Amino acid sequence: MSRFFSKAHSALAPYVPGEQPQDKKYIKLNTNESPYPPSPGVAKAVEQESHRLNLYSDPECRALREALATLLGVGPDMLLLSNGSDELLYLAFLAFGDADHPFVFPNITYGFYPVFCQLAHIPYRELPLRPDFTLDLADYLAPGRNIVLANPNAPTGIALSPGQIEPLLQNHPDSVVIVDEAYVDFGAESCIPLTKRYDNLLVVRTFSKSRSMAGARLGFGIGHPALIADLNTIKYSINPYNVNRLTLAAGLAAVAEDSYYRKCCEAIAQTRDATAKALSEMGFTVLPSKANFVFARHPAIAGEALYAQLRQRGVLIRHLSRPEIAAFNRITIGAPEQMDVFLRLTKEILQGREPL
Ligand SMILES: *Cc1c(COP(=O)(O)O)cnc(C)c1O
């Protein structure tokens, strides 16, 4: 830390992204990226757009917003595009949180939520999940607090239905409920239809996972036009050109080829269910996942040891050190061939081990 660093941030513990090592080629099952490339039209669209990089991007992202609005069946004024959904989440925390409007979220969820609260000096509370890692909605009914839920949750993969989330919207007319649907395309049900009936719901989506575009950095929010207007006030106070030209072009091509992604998501969901079954047969406890990853633990090996041994053998999975989940690993679903290697090596590592 330099002596110039603002005292306001000196205690900040930043988010730690999954490792992206460059030393050798790994089978990467650690950051929930798609094993499949973007749809065929994306590369061409990016190449063509690259000739116009002398010009700023459209701050209103009109073309992509309209295409997405049509795809999702909402008004273009209910949409805001962002530089990854992380940025959209940050805009939302800044827009709706302050000392009188704290946030609540589960103790085991996406690690960025507490970081945003700390950065923006918003008070927050982490509400414990049940021992089986499901969420007790009754914990969230007390009014006066904004809520953020990842649905499906990360890193557990467990999903709620819109019918379960709706009472939270009814019970919090004066607070915002943010539903982060980064993984919804892999088998859960979206809350987007509820945005037409509840002016306090913001749904957050990303092109990073189900649309194979993690490197392009494209996310979006869907909500009542007044919520979107608030987010725009914050966006235009930070970075009007938050989505660059190449990413806008890539997004537009991706939306035009929507069926390609639905096929990819179906393939990933199938591989996930096969992987979960194979892991259960090896003695793992696997949480019921609707995402593009599984969260699993084995009685004969600590989470960190399995992570380390797989890493030595060229396979990366994600281990999170938080004590409640230290026995687990989060395993991104890759292509079937990658999962075969992962399963074979895991079996090898477990050979002859007794329960700890
Ligand atoms: C990956 C992820 C995001 C962020 O994705 P972006 O790449 O910034 O769009 C947001 N929420 C959850 C729960 C995630 O897992």
Side-chain angles (χ1 to χ4, degrees):
M1 193 189 304
S2 81
R3 66 185 197 278
F4 310 107
F5 194 47
S6 161
K7 287 223 169 23
H9 302 310
S10 57
L12 187 64
Y15 177 73
V16 182
E19 58 189 323
Q20 301 284 4
Q22 311 290 328
D23 58 330
K24 63 175 184 182
K25 217 169 147 39
Y26 289 91
I27 292 183
K28 272 195 91 262
L29 308 176
N30 69 327
T31 47
N32 297 343
E33 291 142 324
S34 174
Y36 303 115
S39 66
V42 167
K44 206 165 130 227
V46 168
E47 202 282 319
Q48 282 171 358
E49 191 62 24
S50 68
H51 300 285
R52 289 186 281 274
L53 281 177
N54 53 316
L55 303 173
Y56 279 111
S57 57
D58 173 13
E60 294 181 46
C61 307
R62 269 164 292 202
L64 180 52
R65 218 154 32 85
E66 275 161 26
L68 263 180
T70 305
L71 180 74
L72 301 170
V74 299
D77 59 347
M78 295 179 70
L79 279 171
L80 173 65
L81 288 145
S82 58
N83 189 322
S85 58
D86 287 338
E87 184 189 50
L88 202 290
L89 288 164
Y90 183 45
L91 295 178
F93 277 92
L94 287 175
F96 307 121
D98 60 37
D100 300 321
H101 300 91
F103 268 87
V104 289
F105 42 84
N107 62 336
I108 294 161
T109 190
Y110 188 38
F112 235 130
Y113 306 149
V115 176
F116 286 142
C117 287
Q118 287 164 31
L119 180 59
H121 302 290
I122 302 164
Y124 65 94
R125 263 189 69 195
E126 301 179 329
L127 306 180
L129 294 176
R130 297 190 185 106
D132 66 354
F133 300 100
T134 58
L135 185 144
D136 189 348
L137 286 154
D139 294 342
Y140 290 79
L141 291 179
R145 311 177 295 185
N146 294 313
I147 299 171
V148 57
L149 297 176
N151 190 46
N153 197 11
T156 64
I158 297 174
L160 297 166
S161 70
Q164 289 175 289
I165 291 171
E166 192 167 359
L168 299 182
L169 300 166
Q170 292 163 339
N171 270 278
H172 293 79
D174 299 317
S175 305
V176 175
V177 177
I178 301 172
V179 180
D180 178 351
E181 297 191 335
Y183 301 104
V184 78
D185 292 327
F186 300 102
E189 202 185 329
S190 175
C191 285
I192 290 176
L194 296 176
T195 57
K196 292 184 191 161
R197 285 193 281 127
Y198 294 94
D199 66 359
N200 56 341
L201 169 62
L202 180 71
V203 175
V204 179
R205 300 283 284 263
T206 178
F207 280 61
S208 293
K209 278 76 184 227
S210 58
R211 288 176 191 273
S212 304
M213 277 174 45
R217 315 304 304 125
L218 184 59
F220 58 103
I222 308 113
H224 188 279
L227 284 187
I228 298 298
D230 294 341
L231 295 173
N232 267 313
T233 299
I234 308 293
K235 163 186 141 146
Y236 281 91
S237 307
I238 300 176
N239 185 7
Y241 309 107
N242 60 334
V243 187
N244 72 71
R245 274 186 173 272
L246 301 183
T247 296
L248 285 175
L252 203 54
V255 169
E257 295 177 311
D258 194 54
S259 59
Y260 169 87
Y261 295 104
R262 272 188 272 127
K263 274 190 222 125
C264 290
C265 291
E266 274 167 35
I268 289 166
Q270 263 187 23
T271 311
R272 172 194 68 212
D273 295 346
T275 303
K277 186 161 171 276
L279 287 171
S280 303
E281 284 165 7
M282 274 186 234
F284 279 88
T285 300
V286 187
L287 301 190
S289 171
K290 294 281 184 200
N292 67 338
F293 55 82
V294 291
F295 201 50
R297 73 168 162 218
H298 195 281
I301 191 164
E304 188 157 23
L306 178 60
Y307 154 79
Q309 296 218 26
L310 280 168
R311 195 180 194 285
Q312 276 177 2
R313 291 164 173 79
V315 175
L316 290 179
I317 59 174
R318 187 90 196 258
H319 180 257
L320 300 158
S321 54
R322 201 178 169 116
E324 304 92 321
I325 51 172
F328 283 81
N329 284 296
R330 191 194 69 193
I331 302 133
T332 302
I333 302 303
E337 316 81 77
Q338 296 178 307
M339 301 323 285
D340 289 345
V341 176
F342 158 75
L343 290 168
R344 177 170 54 75
L345 293 173
T346 300
K347 204 173 261 175
E348 239 173 68
I349 291 164
L350 290 173
Q351 204 86 59
R353 278 180 175 260
E354 301 291 331
L356 294 175

